[in-house]
Amino acid sequence: MPERSPVIFERLALIGVGLIGSSIARAARAQGAVRSIVATARSQATRERVRELKIADQVVETNLEAAKGADCIIVCVPVGACGAVAAEIGSVIKPGAIVSDVGSVKGAVLRDMAPHIPAHAHLVPAHPVAGTEYSGPDAGFAELFENRWCILTPPVGANEKAVAKLKAFWQRLGANVEVMDATHHDLVLAITSHLPHLIAYNIVGTAADLEAGTRSEVIKFSAGGFRDFTRIAASDPTMWRDVFLNNKEAVLEMLGRFNEDLAALTRAIRTGDGDTLFDSFARTRAIRRSIIEVGQETAEPDFGRRHSAHDPETPLPRPYASD
Ligand code: NAP
C-alpha cells in the first residue's frame, strides 16, 4: 500500500459547515490532510446534521470552543459575517495558528477580520473558486475542489511559511493554488462570477414578473438558454447579498462596462448592423473554446451536468464552478 503523506494540520476547525465547509471536511478527511476536524455552525439544526453525517471528529456548540487549540481555523460563513466571527474567536486563537476563510470577496474579509487576529497568529484569506447552487452540510462533496482554483490573498508582510502551509493544504484537497492581491481578486471575480450572478438573478426575476400565462411558457421552453440562468439564480440569497454589498466598487465598475457594451449591441440590433453582431458573437465563441481547453469546463452536452435532483453522495460527473 502506498505510504500516505503526513497530515498538514493537527486540528482543523471549521466555523460554518455549509456547502463549502462540509466539502472541506469531506476532502480533508479523504485526503488525510488533517489529524482531526472540529466543526460548528450557527444553528442547532445544522450542528445536529453535521453530527449525523459524521463528517467531523467533534461538533461543538460555539465558535470559541471550535477555535480553541486549533492550528488552522477556516471560517466558512457568508462574507458579511466573517468580521463578527473573527471578533468572537480572536482571544482564543493559539500562537502560530493559521486563520483563513473561503469568502467570495477578499478585500472586505481582510478589512473585517484582520483587526481581530492576534499578532501571534497568521491571517491568510482564501477563496476556493468552486461551488454549486446548493447550500448546507448535505450539499458538500469531497471532490468539489479537484482541478479548481483556490486563490489565496495574504496581506502584505504575511508569514511565508503560513502561506505555504495553507497552499499545501488546498493542493492536497485537489485545488490549483494561485496567490494574488485582494483588490485584484475582487476585480477579476467581479466580472467572472459576481456580474454573471447578478445578470442571472435579473433575467430570471424579469421573467418571473411577466404575467401568469407567459410565465408558464417561460418554464416550458426554458431549454433555450434560460435554464442555465435559472441554475445560477438558484444560488443562496444570503451569500450573494453579502457578495454585492462587500464588492460594491468592483461590481459597479464592471457593470458600467457591461452596460456600455450592451448599449452597443442594442444599437446594432436596432440599426440592423449584422456585422457588429456577428463579430461580437464570433469573438465570445473563441473564449468559450479556450475555457474548455484549459479544463475549467466540459464540452459535453449541457456542460456535463447531472439532471436528477442533487444527491450529495454521488459526485458530479465533472466538477464545475459556479462561484
Ligand atoms: P452555506 O451552505 O449557506 O453555509 C453557510 C454556513 O455559515 C452555515 O453553516 C451557516 O450556519 C453559517 N452561517 C450563516 N450565517 C452566519 C452568521 N451570520 N454567523 C455565523 N455563521 C453563519 O454557504 P456556503 O455556500 O458554504 O458559503 C460559505 C462561504 O463560502 C461564503 O462566504 C461564500 O461566499 C463562499 N463560497 C461559496 C461558494 C458557493 O458556490 N456556494 C463558492 C466559493 C466560496 P447555519 O446552517 O446554522 O445557518
Side-chain angles (χ1 to χ4, degrees):
M1 226 169 86
E3 225 173 88
R4 277 206 129 180
S5 307
V7 297
I8 296 168
F9 295 115
E10 288 296 321
R11 186 175 166 85
L12 170 69
L14 295 171
I15 298 183
V17 197
L19 168 70
I20 301 297
S22 76
S23 294
I24 293 175
R26 289 172 168 103
R29 190 176 267 179
Q31 299 306 325
V34 299
R35 183 96 48 212
S36 70
I37 300 171
V38 55
T40 192
R42 178 177 55 169
S43 68
Q44 179 66 36
T46 300
R47 294 194 294 272
E48 208 39 62
R49 186 62 190 141
V50 176
R51 278 191 194 102
E52 285 165 12
L53 289 168
K54 297 185 173 45
I55 52 177
D57 299 282
Q58 208 187 340
V59 179
V60 295
E61 298 301 297
T62 66
N63 295 343
L64 270 182
E65 281 173 84
K68 228 178 256 176
D71 53 349
C72 180
I73 302 162
I74 306 184
V75 177
C76 306
V77 306
V79 167
C82 287
V85 171
E88 200 186 335
I89 64 172
S91 62
V92 300
I93 298 170
K94 82 171 190 186
I98 292 173
V99 182
S100 190
D101 75 308
V102 292
S104 310
V105 178
K106 301 279 38 108
V109 162
L110 195 56
R111 178 198 67 207
D112 295 347
M113 289 184 77
H116 308 292
I117 307 304
H120 63 238
H122 310 296
L123 175 63
V124 186
H127 175 204
V129 188
T132 73
E133 68 276 30
Y134 299 100
S135 305
D138 285 278
F141 51 100
E143 299 80 7
L144 179 63
F145 310 112
E146 279 175 16
N147 201 28
R148 295 286 144 210
W149 285 105
C150 182
I151 302 172
L152 307 188
T153 61
V156 180
N159 181 289
E160 279 176 26
K161 276 191 184 155
V163 177
K165 210 166 173 190
L166 193 66
K167 183 175 178 182
F169 174 77
W170 278 105
Q171 285 172 332
R172 183 76 73 83
L173 268 48
N176 305 313
V177 178
E178 184 123 339
V179 177
M180 68 173 74
D181 165 61
T183 310
H184 185 63
H185 166 279
D186 289 353
L187 204 59
V188 172
L189 271 289
I191 188 67
T192 57
S193 169
H194 307 169
L195 201 55
H197 276 79
L198 191 70
I199 292 165
Y201 280 124
N202 190 52
I203 195 167
V204 176
T206 303
D209 286 343
L210 296 176
E211 34 66 44
T214 317
R215 190 159 67 228
S216 67
E217 299 290 276
V218 167
I219 290 163
K220 185 170 163 188
F221 298 116
S222 65
F226 181 72
R227 192 176 52 191
D228 254 5
F229 282 111
T230 64
R231 182 184 69 74
I232 298 175
S235 300
D236 187 67
T238 305
M239 165 184 160
W240 283 98
R241 176 202 63 195
D242 282 12
V243 166
F244 292 112
L245 292 179
N246 286 282
N247 198 22
K248 186 172 158 180
E249 278 77 23
V251 170
L252 289 177
E253 161 69 22
M254 293 305 168
L255 204 49
R257 290 172 187 233
F258 175 84
N259 282 329
E260 282 175 26
D261 292 343
L262 190 62
L265 289 178
T266 309
R267 191 178 319 111
I269 293 170
R270 186 180 301 116
T271 59
D273 180 358
D275 288 347
T276 295
L277 294 174
F278 185 89
D279 290 350
S280 173
F281 301 161
R283 194 166 65 100
T284 53
R285 197 175 203 193
I287 290 173
R288 163 120 192 116
R289 286 207 189 103
S290 55
I291 292 172
I292 293 169
E293 272 163 26
V294 296
Q296 291 295 306
E297 182 56 289
T298 163
E300 286 166 34
D302 204 17
F303 310 116
R305 282 171 190 135
R306 72 168 98 232
H307 287 262
S308 56
H310 181 62
D311 169 10
E313 296 306 317
T314 316
L316 295 168
R318 304 271 285 265
Y320 62 90
S322 87
D323 178 46

